[in-house]
Amino acid sequence: MDNCLFCRIARGEIPSAKVYEDDEILAFKDIQPQRPVHVLVIPKRHITSLAHVAATDVPLLGRMLAVAKQIADDQGSPEGFRVIINTGRIGGQEVEHLHAHIVGGLEPVGPMLKRI
Ligand code: AMP
Ligand code: ZN
């Protein structure tokens, strides 16, 4: 995925404020943070969205969630956090490379969804 924004970040072609990295996963600060702590966790390998995962991706997905607590603690959200994975048009996904938002801080994040 030559032109995918998050693939390019994973390859180091576009700079990011990295907060966690291992063989398969990268986490970096969101460029437009919506809470004091706002980090994106991505697989380094391109997966378009949560609607595009294969059975073989299950361990990777589990690990993406399992790193959230350590990232939240390290970034200043020790008493909890929220994980959001926007998926597809209905889910409001803007970047078509799977990513989990970790949002938090020292104050509650707020209601889960704005009422419509
Ligand atoms: P989503 O709407 O779930 O697809 O979220 C995409 C997120 O990517 C948004 O919160 C953007 O602020 C964030 N974003 C876009 N470009 C960058 C970038 N270059 N570095 C970090 N975060 C970015
Ligand atoms: Zn990608």
Side-chain angles (χ1 to χ4, degrees), residues 1 4 7 46 97:
M1 297 302 281
C4 168
C7 281
H46 184 85
H97 179 128

mmCIF file of all heavy atoms in Angstrom, residues 1 4 7 46 97, ligand 2:
data_model
loop_
_atom_site.group_PDB
_atom_site.id
_atom_site.type_symbol
_atom_site.label_atom_id
_atom_site.label_comp_id
_atom_site.label_asym_id
_atom_site.label_seq_id
_atom_site.Cartn_x
_atom_site.Cartn_y
_atom_site.Cartn_z
ATOM 1 N N MET A 1 0.865 -1.200 0.000
ATOM 2 C CA MET A 1 0.000 0.000 0.000
ATOM 3 C C MET A 1 0.900 1.249 0.000
ATOM 4 O O MET A 1 1.097 1.904 1.016
ATOM 5 C CB MET A 1 -0.928 -0.012 1.230
ATOM 6 C CG MET A 1 -1.884 -1.177 1.254
ATOM 7 S SD MET A 1 -2.963 -1.289 -0.189
ATOM 8 C CE MET A 1 -4.202 -0.062 0.225
ATOM 9 N N CYS A 4 -0.759 4.615 1.265
ATOM 10 C CA CYS A 4 -1.567 4.646 2.496
ATOM 11 C C CYS A 4 -0.819 5.455 3.562
ATOM 12 O O CYS A 4 0.356 5.200 3.852
ATOM 13 C CB CYS A 4 -1.807 3.214 2.972
ATOM 14 S SG CYS A 4 -2.482 3.110 4.628
ATOM 15 N N CYS A 7 0.518 3.330 6.467
ATOM 16 C CA CYS A 7 1.638 2.490 6.001
ATOM 17 C C CYS A 7 2.902 3.339 5.883
ATOM 18 O O CYS A 7 3.992 2.901 6.264
ATOM 19 C CB CYS A 7 1.318 1.854 4.656
ATOM 20 S SG CYS A 7 0.246 0.408 4.723
ATOM 21 N N HIS A 46 -0.486 -3.553 6.398
ATOM 22 C CA HIS A 46 -1.752 -2.923 6.013
ATOM 23 C C HIS A 46 -2.940 -3.855 6.204
ATOM 24 O O HIS A 46 -2.994 -4.933 5.623
ATOM 25 C CB HIS A 46 -1.722 -2.449 4.552
ATOM 26 C CG HIS A 46 -2.980 -1.724 4.184
ATOM 27 N ND1 HIS A 46 -3.158 -0.380 4.421
ATOM 28 C CD2 HIS A 46 -4.150 -2.158 3.652
ATOM 29 C CE1 HIS A 46 -4.366 -0.022 4.030
ATOM 30 N NE2 HIS A 46 -4.994 -1.081 3.563
ATOM 31 N N HIS A 97 -6.718 2.496 7.097
ATOM 32 C CA HIS A 97 -5.732 1.549 7.624
ATOM 33 C C HIS A 97 -6.164 1.360 9.075
ATOM 34 O O HIS A 97 -6.238 2.338 9.826
ATOM 35 C CB HIS A 97 -4.316 2.132 7.503
ATOM 36 C CG HIS A 97 -3.215 1.264 8.040
ATOM 37 N ND1 HIS A 97 -2.087 0.940 7.295
ATOM 38 C CD2 HIS A 97 -3.032 0.689 9.251
ATOM 39 C CE1 HIS A 97 -1.279 0.189 8.020
ATOM 40 N NE2 HIS A 97 -1.832 0.029 9.233
HETATM 41 ZN ZN ZN B 2 -1.908 1.037 5.214
#
